[in-house]
Amino acid sequence: MDNNPTHHQCIICIGSNYHKRENLAFARQKLSELFSTICFAPEQETKPLYFKNQTLFSNQVAVFFSNEREEEVIKILKEIERSAGRQPGDKEEEKVCLDIDLLLYDNRILKPEDWEREYVQQSLPSLHFPLRIK
């Protein structure tokens, strides 16, 4: 494995509760085109945490390496969300076409609450990448 410091390790989680199969497939395709090193954990279905709408979410965790700065990676992820049809008012309607969050960048956990979610922790071993977390 390349330990070049310009290759930043990124771990993301992808989620959808609306046209789940299509939107997760769309995300995987776009992410694979942009980040050739990406490795996906198996999809998992989870109950919504903060919605009255009890439609299950499909979630997936992935790891990849990028030469991009953290801000640029986040910008790319948000653009994929928008291209999948995500609209600003969707959350109020409890509709999540596609949500992609950067959980870890290099050795920094960016979203500790999301990082600790059961499906994320269960997915990490299947990624087969040594995690560099301080």
Side-chain angles (χ1 to χ4, degrees):
M1 183 167 81
D2 185 1
N3 284 329
N4 182 337
T6 61
H7 284 89
H8 305 285
Q9 183 181 40
C10 300
I11 294 182
I12 60 171
C13 66
I14 308 164
S16 176
N17 73 348
Y18 182 79
H19 296 301
K20 300 180 280 197
R21 182 175 292 133
E22 298 88 342
N23 285 324
L24 261 64
F26 175 82
R28 284 191 297 269
Q29 178 190 346
K30 290 292 179 196
L31 290 162
S32 296
E33 290 168 6
L34 294 164
F35 305 108
S36 60
T37 60
I38 197 159
C39 173
F40 295 95
E43 275 184 52
Q44 292 192 43
E45 290 214 318
T46 61
K47 292 180 180 176
L49 294 175
Y50 307 111
F51 290 175
K52 289 185 188 90
N53 174 359
Q54 288 301 296
T55 301
L56 292 178
F57 273 78
S58 285
N59 293 289
Q60 194 163 29
V61 176
V63 62
F64 60 87
F65 291 86
S66 174
N67 294 324
E68 302 290 350
R69 293 182 344 268
E70 177 183 328
E71 299 76 23
E72 187 61 26
V73 172
I74 292 170
K75 194 171 138 189
I76 291 166
L77 300 178
K78 296 303 159 201
E79 184 54 41
I80 295 171
E81 290 178 353
R82 281 190 294 279
S83 59
R86 183 166 179 166
Q87 299 291 319
D90 285 349
K91 219 167 202 169
E92 287 77 44
E93 296 177 28
E94 300 190 345
K95 170 182 160 186
V96 179
C97 290
L98 191 61
D99 184 39
I100 310 174
D101 290 320
L102 182 60
L103 300 182
L104 179 131
Y105 185 84
D106 283 337
N107 57 7
R108 285 184 306 109
I109 296 171
L110 306 177
K111 295 188 169 253
E113 188 178 313
D114 292 354
W115 181 261
E116 292 303 324
R117 291 200 172 127
E118 188 177 0
Y119 80 88
V120 171
Q121 291 302 308
Q122 287 175 350
S123 295
L124 294 174
S126 66
L127 294 174
H128 304 294
F129 276 89
L131 296 178
R132 304 181 307 236
I133 303 171
K134 288 186 180 172

